[in-house]
Amino acid sequence: MIDSATWLALAPLLPLAGFVLLALARLPRAAIAAVGAGSVALSLAAAVIAAAVYVASPLSGAVEVVLWRWMDVAGFAPAIGLRLDALSTVFILVITGVGLLIHVYSIAFMAGDEGYRRYFACMNLFIASMLLLVLADNLLLLYLGWEGVGLCSYLLIGFWYRDEANGRAARKAFIVTRFGDAAFAVGLFLLFQAAGTLDIHELLARIKELWSVGDPQAVAAGLLLLAGAVGKSAQLPLQTWLPDAMAGPTPVSALIHAATMVTAGVYLVARMNPLFDLAPAARSLVAVIGCATMLLAGLAALAQKDFKRVLAYSTISQIGYMFLALGVGAYVAGVAHFVTHALFKSALFLGAGIVIHCLHDGHDIFSMGGLRRAMPGAGWAFLLAALSLASVPPLTATFNSKDMIVDQVWRLSGGGVLWAGAILGTFLTAAYASRLFFVAFCGPLRQQPCRKPPMTMLAPFAALALLGALAGLPDLVAVFTGENFIAAFLGRSLPALGEAHAASTSALARQALLVGLALAGIGTAYVLYLRKPGLVAWAAATPLGSSVRRLAESGFAFDWLYDRLLVRPFLWLCRINRRDVIDAAFIVPTRVAEGLCAALSLLQTGRLRWYAACAAAGAIIYLAVAVLT
């Protein structure tokens, strides 16, 4: 009988085996789809069994497996080992569950693409890498998964590499995230130097003994790991790569750039929460970055015309919510929002893929309109997912994951600027989600769809939309029963949620405020984009309005700023250093050696008498030196 550790090991190994088979074997398209989606389905089954065993285990238990010893050098002996606890359980179920639905969706979406096998191979490798990241029992193995998902992101953003713009987007994502990844690597060196291990649980236990709260080394390590998280999760100031990453296939955007990889930074901060608790300055910076990113990305989403770029900025904004929760110490709330966001945001991207697929690959939302009548199934599912994003109870239950964050920010930070930013983010989220639906799906029909989406695309889309709408139901029940099952389960691995999320008068008042702001955002979008669209056109035509719109549409000119502060100066240095003066330090000794060799080669005359005379002269000189000394 297979034990729980074996099931745990199979979860990442099965999609990895799928990648190897797809990479090496030339298979017919039906077999490619079967291997690509089937390996993830089997991985989901293994993850569910391993998770069931863990859930049934004692509170302090965990499912662990060591596959082999990676290396053993001077006391540094990391293993290829996996560990399943409450936090990683949540992540592996989301990764494999959402991943399977997106693989099924991809079968039809990518059906006519010449890179069909390459696509599924990269997607399988991504699932394996992401599972390795969240299951790793040491930071070195986690970093291997971290770089693996970065590689897959590069390959899939530039999947249609014959278009030069796609190649640029892939390189941009790779280069921008390198800044964070390099800082993360330095952080690993610092942690190992201090604690002598990279085993996560042993490391966290040791640093609690070695460092006091506010210790400079703890702050430095926290900031370095935060830099890695900021890069991978597209938070300020390294957020510029994600909107351009929409150049890849839409299912890639749904899986990698909405549901999983971009939340790797959230996982890292949550996993290393004892370190951030020892570094209050670093943890406070997490909250500030999250709040600022949430607001700026929300405003940028309101100005986008490209369907997928609206959702890209929305993703950046919602991950900002998660960072805000982590930064105030509400780790459970941040992870709860990760779950709901993964479901409804991947649904929104799949809906975008269906619309683009059926409208001659058009991306401009203002060239759409009326799709709710032309594509009723997709329209209703998209509306459900958009309402989940806007967080409007009782229409959806996901209100409570965001409400939990806002409530905890109020309790843990005492209100103030962070709480004000959180509730303003609620208005912005509802406004841009409603704007997207009203513009693309309501009003007059501007384009007749050229095809009907197949059921293999509609079914995963509808399933994720429904799951996203119901994901917050346990939290909604907790408001009335006081039993927060999600918080209790995650409490096995994360600090407790804090004061109970109870239905007190003040809490109900704050919830009513959030509902009011969400409804205000929907109402504002309805008036401006459905009832009185001329108001927006008039405002955008004014000099101030035009400038504000261009600024927001460009993502607040971060690309422009980085181009002038970093890219152009670097290219200028490359031009003036075309001959590379640094190489002179190596070229001079090389030239001297070449000259000496040329001089010595003159001695090679090919005459035996000359060689004998030189040998004799050398012997005489050697003997003379020996005698004289």
Side-chain angles (χ1 to χ4, degrees):
M1 183 175 178
I2 301 177
D3 60 12
S4 58
T6 303
W7 288 115
L8 179 61
L10 285 174
L13 289 177
L14 285 167
L16 182 61
F19 159 72
V20 173
L21 180 59
L22 291 170
L24 298 180
R26 292 188 176 276
L27 303 172
R29 287 191 170 240
I32 291 171
V35 171
S39 63
V40 180
L42 293 173
S43 177
L44 172 61
V48 168
I49 294 172
V53 172
Y54 169 74
V55 170
S57 67
L59 291 180
S60 59
V63 178
E64 297 180 340
V65 56
V66 176
L67 300 179
W68 65 83
R69 183 66 59 187
W70 191 349
M71 64 184 82
D72 192 346
V73 181
F76 179 55
I80 304 294
L82 310 177
R83 189 176 194 275
L84 184 69
D85 60 6
L87 180 60
S88 51
T89 296
V90 170
F91 271 82
I92 66 167
L93 293 178
V94 170
I95 292 165
T96 53
V98 174
L100 174 60
L101 291 173
I102 293 175
H103 273 72
V104 172
Y105 177 97
S106 299
I107 293 172
F109 187 88
M110 300 296 293
D113 199 282
E114 62 180 353
Y116 199 65
R117 180 168 66 98
R118 175 165 56 91
Y119 171 84
F120 278 103
C122 291
M123 290 286 274
N124 274 192
L125 179 60
F126 169 78
I127 293 288
S129 299
M130 192 69 198
L131 289 172
L132 183 65
L133 189 159
V134 299
L135 289 172
D137 69 351
N138 67 82
L139 287 175
L140 186 62
L141 188 60
L142 186 154
Y143 192 75
L144 177 64
W146 186 276
E147 292 300 317
V149 297
L151 170 64
C152 294
S153 178
Y154 168 78
L155 294 173
L156 288 165
I157 293 170
F159 181 78
W160 291 312
Y161 57 86
R162 288 189 175 90
D163 187 336
E164 186 179 350
N166 296 340
R168 285 197 303 269
R171 290 194 299 272
K172 181 179 180 180
F174 191 81
I175 293 169
V176 171
T177 55
R178 287 312 91 195
F179 288 96
D181 294 352
F184 185 10
V186 175
L188 297 187
F189 283 110
L190 176 58
L191 289 170
F192 179 75
Q193 186 275 332
T197 182
L198 288 179
D199 179 272
I200 294 174
H201 299 279
E202 186 178 351
L203 169 68
L204 294 177
R206 289 187 186 181
I207 63 175
K208 287 180 182 179
E209 299 174 357
L210 293 171
W211 294 336
S212 59
V213 175
D215 188 290
Q217 290 190 74
V219 174
L223 291 175
L224 289 167
L225 265 59
L226 173 59
V230 162
K232 196 67 76 181
S233 292
Q235 297 292 283
L236 286 170
L238 300 179
Q239 82 288 1
T240 57
W241 67 269
L242 185 56
D244 290 349
M246 298 302 104
T250 300
V252 172
S253 303
L255 179 63
I256 297 183
H257 304 131
T260 51
M261 187 197 85
V262 290
T263 57
V266 175
Y267 173 81
L268 178 64
V269 176
R271 173 62 72 197
M272 300 299 291
N273 69 85
L275 170 62
F276 284 91
D277 288 341
L278 290 172
R283 202 183 73 180
S284 297
L285 186 58
V286 174
V288 171
I289 288 174
C291 188
T293 305
M294 172 186 62
L295 296 176
L296 285 178
L299 290 170
L302 281 171
Q304 303 304 310
K305 297 179 181 178
D306 185 289
F307 206 130
K308 290 175 66 176
R309 284 181 77 89
V310 175
L311 297 177
Y313 278 107
S314 170
T315 297
I316 297 171
S317 180
Q318 294 305 302
I319 296 175
Y321 258 113
M322 300 175 208
F323 268 66
L324 174 59
L326 299 174
V328 298
Y331 300 103
V332 169
V335 174
H337 194 53
F338 151 74
V339 176
T340 58
H341 175 265
L343 295 170
F344 64 66
K345 185 54 65 62
S346 56
L348 288 169
F349 268 108
L350 295 189
I354 287 175
V355 170
I356 293 168
H357 181 72
C358 295
L359 292 182
H360 307 281
D361 293 328
H363 286 243
D364 188 347
I365 60 174
F366 290 98
S367 68
M368 303 173 187
L371 295 178
R372 181 172 52 85
R373 294 183 296 277
M375 305 168 61
W380 284 111
F382 196 92
L383 175 60
L384 186 60
L387 287 172
S388 299
L389 173 59
S391 303
V392 184
L395 300 177
T396 64
T398 47
F399 165 76
N400 286 82
S401 68
K402 191 178 294 182
D403 171 54
M404 189 189 302
I405 292 176
V406 178
D407 181 77
Q408 290 299 305
V409 170
W410 173 272
R411 297 177 189 277
L412 297 174
S413 68
V417 175
L418 293 178
W419 182 77
I423 62 171
L424 178 58
T426 299
F427 173 82
L428 293 175
T429 302
Y432 66 67
S434 304
R435 169 184 179 264
L436 182 59
F437 178 78
F438 290 145
V439 172
F441 288 89
C442 300
L445 181 65
R446 296 186 180 91
Q447 282 191 67
Q448 187 67 37
C450 62
R451 60 173 70 92
K452 290 185 177 181
M455 188 54 64
T456 50
M457 292 173 65
L458 277 174
F461 168 41
L464 284 169
L466 182 60
L467 289 171
L470 298 176
L473 193 59
D475 300 323
L476 190 62
V477 172
V479 171
F480 301 100
T481 65
E483 296 290 333
N484 194 317
F485 302 107
I486 298 295
F489 177 69
L490 286 172
R492 293 187 179 191
S493 301
L494 298 173
L497 187 61
E499 188 178 343
H501 190 64
S504 63
T505 303
S506 59
L508 289 175
R510 292 195 296 274
Q511 290 171 2
L513 175 61
L514 288 179
V515 174
L517 286 171
L519 294 175
I522 294 173
T524 302
Y526 175 77
V527 171
L528 293 180
Y529 293 97
L530 207 57
R531 300 299 298 172
K532 302 288 184 181
L535 290 175
V536 176
W538 171 81
T542 64
L544 178 61
S546 177
S547 299
V548 171
R549 182 192 61 78
R550 287 198 305 271
L551 181 64
E553 190 175 6
S554 69
F556 293 94
F558 277 90
D559 280 321
W560 179 89
L561 181 64
Y562 293 159
D563 180 64
R564 281 153 180 78
L565 290 181
L566 298 174
V567 177
R568 293 189 182 186
F570 180 77
L571 293 176
W572 176 77
L573 287 174
C574 290
R575 283 193 295 271
I576 66 172
N577 191 32
R578 187 171 299 165
R579 296 184 179 275
D580 202 343
V581 295
I582 298 175
D583 277 355
F586 304 96
I587 291 174
V588 170
T590 301
R591 295 290 183 264
V592 171
E594 289 175 351
L596 292 174
C597 289
L600 289 173
S601 67
L602 297 176
L603 300 177
Q604 303 297 319
T605 63
R607 298 177 180 177
L608 292 177
R609 290 189 213 178
W610 168 252
Y611 295 156
C614 289
I620 292 170
I621 293 172
Y622 178 78
L623 291 173
V625 171
V627 170
L628 294 175
T629 57

